[in-house]
Amino acid sequence: MSANGGTKAILAALGANAGIAVAKFVGFAFTGSSSMLAEAVHSVADTSNQGLLLLGQKTSRRTATKEHPFGFGRDRYFYSFIVALMLFTLGAAFAIYEGVHKIAEPEPLTTPVVAIVILLVAIGLESFSFYTAIGESRTLKGSASWWGFIRQSRTPELPVVLLEDAGALLGLVFALIGVGLSVLTGDPIWDGVGTLMIGALLGVIAIILIIEMKSLLIGEGATDAELETIVDELAAGKVERVIHIRTQYLGPDELLVAAKLALAPRLETDQIAKAIDDAEARVRAKVPAVRLIYLEPDLDREAVNPK
């Protein structure tokens, strides 16, 4: 699942958003609704975002080079970060601008029933996309909460798609409320209010994604559970203790482990080499994401010179 990065969810979102964007622009042309226009731009941004996520998956598979000896796995983090920025600038900023403009200069809606029908159809399509993303994420999520999954996942695409789809569904509801209240009250200012709500929602989601993707792009270590497993597997056999350890994800599927190990005293060179090889094998068997391991044997000076 991690290797695919939820490709099925990305493709489902791509297809749904492309179709929805066209429908929303048609709806805006008929109604003049700013909520509909904001949602149309939002769908265009989401469609572009899914394309960027697929591009990141493709470029991350490039073979390591002399200039980039650890490969290109972080491309997936980079493009996910760009997606978050686009969601903020193209989605949130435009919706807030359009909402303020519509409140300042309200214009009556024409044929609002068209907007309502399109929004209801869009809710159905977005629900399908959201359901697909949830299904793709369940295996990786495990027993964690959905918020915990978004915060802790080292695979960037699924949290991005989940939050985008959740935001799209809520945004459609806000647009429906704005158009509906404009029809019921006869006051088009509610359409602008709905647009502002969409902008605020997209802004919050974008900021969450920017924070999370920035953290991944800089470099995050193993999760607490993974680190505990790695240490337990290293400290076995002829390894007496893990003196210190550092980990970092080079990409969603590639974890680097560097550690200094205290080995049993008076081992021969071949025994030290075998102890190191066995430790690497144990770790890889329990944590498949560990691809690169650098282990340094050393004396347990704390045991030799206790304080």
Side-chain angles (χ1 to χ4, degrees), residues 222-267:
T223 64
D224 291 341
E226 288 172 333
L227 185 59
E228 183 179 353
T229 300
I230 291 169
V231 171
D232 287 345
E233 294 305 318
L234 287 176
K238 296 187 181 299
V239 179
E240 295 187 336
R241 188 171 70 89
V242 177
I243 299 173
H244 68 74
I245 183 170
R246 297 289 184 272
T247 64
Q248 188 173 92
Y249 269 93
L250 303 175
D253 316 308
E254 190 170 13
L255 179 60
L256 167 68
V257 174
K260 181 175 285 191
L261 307 178
L263 300 182
R266 293 179 293 277
L267 292 178

Side-chain angles (χ1 to χ4, degrees), residues 11-221:
L11 291 174
L14 178 66
N17 284 317
I20 291 170
V22 173
K24 288 174 181 175
F25 275 118
V26 172
F28 166 70
F30 276 95
T31 65
S33 166
S34 66
S35 294
M36 184 67 74
L37 177 59
E39 274 297 301
V41 174
H42 175 200
S43 292
V44 169
D46 282 353
T47 304
S48 303
N49 290 345
Q50 270 85 60
L52 287 172
L53 293 178
L54 292 173
L55 177 62
Q57 286 189 339
K58 181 178 179 180
T59 58
S60 69
R61 300 189 189 105
R62 288 177 291 171
T63 304
T65 63
K66 183 177 180 181
E67 187 177 7
H68 298 280
F70 290 111
F72 297 88
R74 282 191 179 150
D75 265 13
R76 287 167 67 179
Y77 297 149
F78 170 75
Y79 283 104
S80 296
F81 183 74
I82 296 300
V83 164
L85 290 177
M86 285 187 60
L87 189 63
F88 186 83
T89 55
L90 190 57
F94 178 83
I96 291 173
Y97 167 80
E98 189 65 23
V100 171
H101 174 72
K102 191 65 179 248
I103 291 173
E105 300 178 19
E107 298 175 5
L109 303 182
T110 58
T111 58
V113 67
V114 174
I116 293 173
V117 170
I118 290 175
L119 288 171
L120 290 174
V121 172
I123 287 174
L125 291 174
E126 283 291 358
S127 297
F128 166 74
S129 175
F130 190 41
Y131 178 79
T132 303
I134 289 175
E136 287 276 276
S137 302
R138 277 203 175 99
T139 302
L140 286 177
K141 183 179 83 72
S143 59
S145 65
W146 285 106
W147 177 245
F149 169 68
I150 290 170
R151 291 297 310 275
Q152 298 170 15
S153 176
R154 301 303 190 262
T155 302
E157 293 90 354
L158 285 172
V160 169
V161 174
L162 277 171
L163 283 177
E164 273 192 348
D165 285 350
L169 277 172
L170 280 174
L172 288 167
V173 172
F174 291 162
L176 195 59
I177 291 172
V179 173
L181 287 176
S182 294
V183 173
L184 291 174
T185 64
D187 189 350
I189 198 172
W190 288 108
D191 186 39
V193 172
T195 308
L196 274 179
M197 292 171 65
I198 293 170
L201 171 68
L202 295 181
V204 170
I205 291 175
I207 289 171
I208 292 172
L209 286 176
I210 287 170
I211 292 171
E212 292 304 314
M213 294 307 121
K214 172 178 175 288
S215 180
L216 289 170
L217 190 58
I218 291 173
E220 290 189 0

